Amino acid sequence: MWGDRLISVTEPATAEVMAEIPRAGIEETDAAVAAAKAAFPAWRAVSPADRAALMRRLADALEREAEALATLEARNAGKPIADARGEIAMVIECFRYYAGAPERLLGHTIPVAGGVDMTFREPLGVVGLITPWNFPLVIASWKVAPALAAGNTVVLKPAELTPLSSLELERIALEAGLPEGVLNVVAGPGSVCGQRLVDHPDVAKVAFTGSTEVGRGIASGAAQTIKRVTLELGGKSANVIFADADLDAAAAAAPSAVFGNAGQDCCARSRILVERSGLDQFMAALVGAVDAIRVGDPLDEQTQMGPLISASHRDTVASYLNDDAPVAIRGDKPDGPGFWFEPTVLSPVDNSDRAATEEIFGPVACVIPFDGEDEAVQIANDTIYGLSGSIWTRDGAKALRVTRALDSGVISINSNSSVRVTTPFGGFKQSGVGRELGPDALDHYTDVKNVYYATGGN
Ligand code: TAP
């Protein structure tokens, strides 16, 4: 049936094919939507306690296979095994967290004349989930877990470059007892299978993580059927470091905030804004921190940064480093096959330079000097994006003033953390629409139904 319709899945650290799997097209996508549609009435009718129990069983089953999943993810996405283990742990935590949701999807009772008014949070139906290659299973779990908890059925389309862990999720979910048709995975091209989910009249919602460019097309396509849409898109986040901060701590933390996942992270703090009076001390500390990054085999326990996802992506990242690029720090990379790229810091960079305006999505950081609080806010906000960011200072009032002034969905103070299962995550401006994780995600997988029950009036 599949003939030559195969996806060759490449291992970025070796540039060799690690698996060949059938490539889905329109027909398979339609079949998955039909299966999800058929499964929806029974799934929404599963009692809240039973749905919660099934999700906990799925989390337990994932935990039993955690090491194998982490190894698969490390190989397919080229990420350090320690990072991959952390991501799989988050996947499990995500299913456990949302297993608490079916029994807590509360409505309101609202005082009205003549009767009782109440609200229900109803599932949407079939939801299409489209995910990227940089954090394949963990981003899938941020969508699948709240969608299922709220009573929806799912068609998940992973990126063609990294479909393996999502296919494993489908298998493990079935084995854990999730009814047939509740979670369907379609591995095929975004322009075919993803687009079909966007266009399909039986899909009630699309939740997408990926580039702002593809997100624009999804928003406009979804408008044709008034689909609900959640978009988690690109970023060009600012790491704002004031001279009164613990500069050594800020410099020690800055590399992982931009070179983590080889910079292929929508939350990457790729613009490092440093107050001019602290610049020399910060740069001196940053050199040592960048030099210390261990780039290499993802399966080596000591590795901190792996390769880029593909040869073509490596070419794109390299295009930001022309002969005039102000390269201030350049780390190491292994020789030989694999899509390797050195952690690189450009300094000083003007915020209008291409390297500072475009999402490079690779291990290239721009250091941008500033003078004072007002200029820091002006530069940080001078971007089409607004996903995450950090502020480093010992002045608590300044930290809060700047936090409120930044147009970003997720900000940390004296830290570069962005994502927790229990707290909302998502972007301002062209970084997206809607929120994932935390209690807020459930709002995006339900519609509110208002019911008035006359008890004597009308
Ligand atoms: P995209 O090219 O946008 O792809 C994301 C997903 O969309 C993939 O599954 C892709 O499928 C699919 N897709 C492509 N064209 C489509 C279309 N016309 N209709 C429907 N689906 C389509 O991004 P990427 O290269 O995978 O990931 C990198 C980008 O994602 C970066 O810009 C990054 O910032 C962003 N990102 C954002 C976040 C958050 S949370 N905001 C997280 C991770 C990544 P195929 O690849 O299989 O064709």
Side-chain angles (χ1 to χ4, degrees):
M1 168 187 176
W2 297 98
D4 59 354
R5 291 171 51 207
L6 290 176
I7 301 174
S8 293
V9 181
T10 301
E11 187 166 1
T14 61
E16 284 174 10
V17 172
M18 65 181 281
E20 289 198 308
I21 59 166
R23 172 179 278 137
I26 296 280
E27 206 181 304
E28 291 76 19
T29 309
D30 284 353
V33 172
K37 186 180 177 185
F40 175 59
W43 179 243
R44 76 178 303 184
V46 171
S47 78
D50 288 347
R51 205 182 314 140
L54 275 167
M55 291 190 61
R56 280 192 285 268
R57 273 176 61 178
L58 172 53
D60 292 346
L62 288 164
E63 195 161 48
R64 283 193 293 276
E65 304 206 29
E67 187 59 21
L69 286 167
T71 304
L72 189 69
E73 202 79 314
R75 289 185 64 202
N76 191 183
K79 61 182 70 226
I81 184 69
D83 293 2
R85 286 192 190 112
E87 288 175 28
I88 300 303
M90 191 186 203
V91 170
I92 295 161
E93 186 192 347
C94 192
F95 279 100
R96 293 219 167 101
Y97 176 74
Y98 286 107
E103 295 169 293
R104 293 171 179 79
L105 275 178
L106 308 179
H108 299 292
T109 55
I110 301 171
V112 291
V116 176
D117 195 280
M118 56 201 137
T119 64
F120 296 89
R121 291 169 70 177
E122 305 286 13
L124 303 172
V126 178
V127 299
L129 310 178
I130 303 173
T131 50
W133 45 257
N134 55 347
F135 295 104
L137 196 59
V138 78
I139 287 180
S141 74
W142 300 355
K143 301 177 191 320
V144 172
L148 295 183
N152 304 283
T153 53
V154 163
V155 179
L156 167 64
K157 195 220 83 67
E160 264 207 312
L161 290 168
T162 55
L164 303 179
S165 55
S166 294
L167 289 165
E168 284 293 274
L169 173 67
E170 183 185 44
R171 172 186 65 77
I172 294 167
L174 270 178
E175 289 174 9
L178 218 67
E180 196 102 26
V182 169
L183 170 58
N184 310 272
V185 177
V186 175
S191 56
V192 179
C193 306
Q195 191 64 48
R196 183 62 182 154
L197 290 175
V198 173
D199 296 338
H200 203 300
D202 289 339
V203 174
K205 179 206 167 96
V206 171
F208 168 81
T209 297
S211 58
T212 295
E213 190 187 347
V214 173
R216 275 189 203 106
I218 287 181
S220 83
Q224 302 312 308
T225 45
I226 315 293
K227 279 186 180 51
R228 283 90 185 106
V229 177
T230 299
L231 301 174
E232 300 290 354
L233 308 175
K236 193 75 192 178
S237 297
N239 186 359
V240 181
I241 298 162
F242 287 97
D244 65 1
D246 180 340
L247 291 174
D248 291 337
S256 61
V258 56
F259 302 135
N261 213 42
Q264 303 165 122
D265 182 343
C266 51
C267 291
R269 272 79 167 156
S270 52
R271 290 185 303 149
I272 306 177
L273 276 54
V274 186
E275 194 161 24
R276 211 175 296 272
S277 54
L279 187 59
D280 289 347
Q281 187 187 336
F282 177 81
M283 288 303 287
L286 189 63
V287 172
V290 174
D291 282 346
I293 298 171
R294 298 180 70 138
V295 183
D297 177 4
L299 297 183
D300 182 333
E301 298 284 344
Q302 305 305 316
T303 292
Q304 294 169 307
M305 189 180 121
L308 293 171
I309 191 70
S310 66
S312 72
H313 187 52
R314 183 176 56 184
D315 292 346
T316 305
V317 174
S319 76
Y320 289 87
L321 300 182
N322 58 26
D323 291 344
D324 301 334
V327 175
I329 311 173
R330 196 120 211 227
D332 277 334
K333 68 173 169 66
D335 296 326
F339 312 127
W340 307 102
F341 205 93
E342 305 93 332
T344 305
V345 178
L346 307 181
S347 177
V349 176
D350 189 275
N351 197 50
S352 61
D353 292 352
R354 178 173 166 248
T357 56
E358 296 180 11
E359 183 181 44
I360 300 174
F361 224 54
V364 180
C366 296
V367 173
I368 304 171
F370 69 88
D371 293 297
E373 193 176 321
D374 290 348
E375 196 184 18
V377 171
Q378 181 267 320
I379 294 174
N381 284 341
D382 186 13
T383 167
I384 61 166
Y385 298 112
L387 188 54
S388 60
S390 300
I391 296 159
W392 292 76
T393 175
R394 288 188 170 102
D395 178 339
K398 179 161 70 181
L400 288 176
R401 276 196 308 275
V402 174
T403 299
R404 296 301 304 273
L406 292 187
D407 303 330
S408 290
V410 185
I411 297 172
S412 39
I413 299 167
N414 296 331
S415 155
N416 293 321
S417 69
S418 285
V419 179
R420 285 175 196 78
V421 166
T422 53
T423 58
F425 174 73
F428 282 23
K429 302 197 286 188
Q430 294 190 35
S431 284
V433 175
R435 290 294 175 269
E436 304 204 285
L437 298 173
D440 300 64
L442 293 162
D443 292 345
H444 298 284
Y445 290 101
T446 51
D447 265 343
V448 173
K449 182 182 285 170
N450 188 68
V451 178
Y452 172 69
Y453 194 154
T455 56
N458 54 29

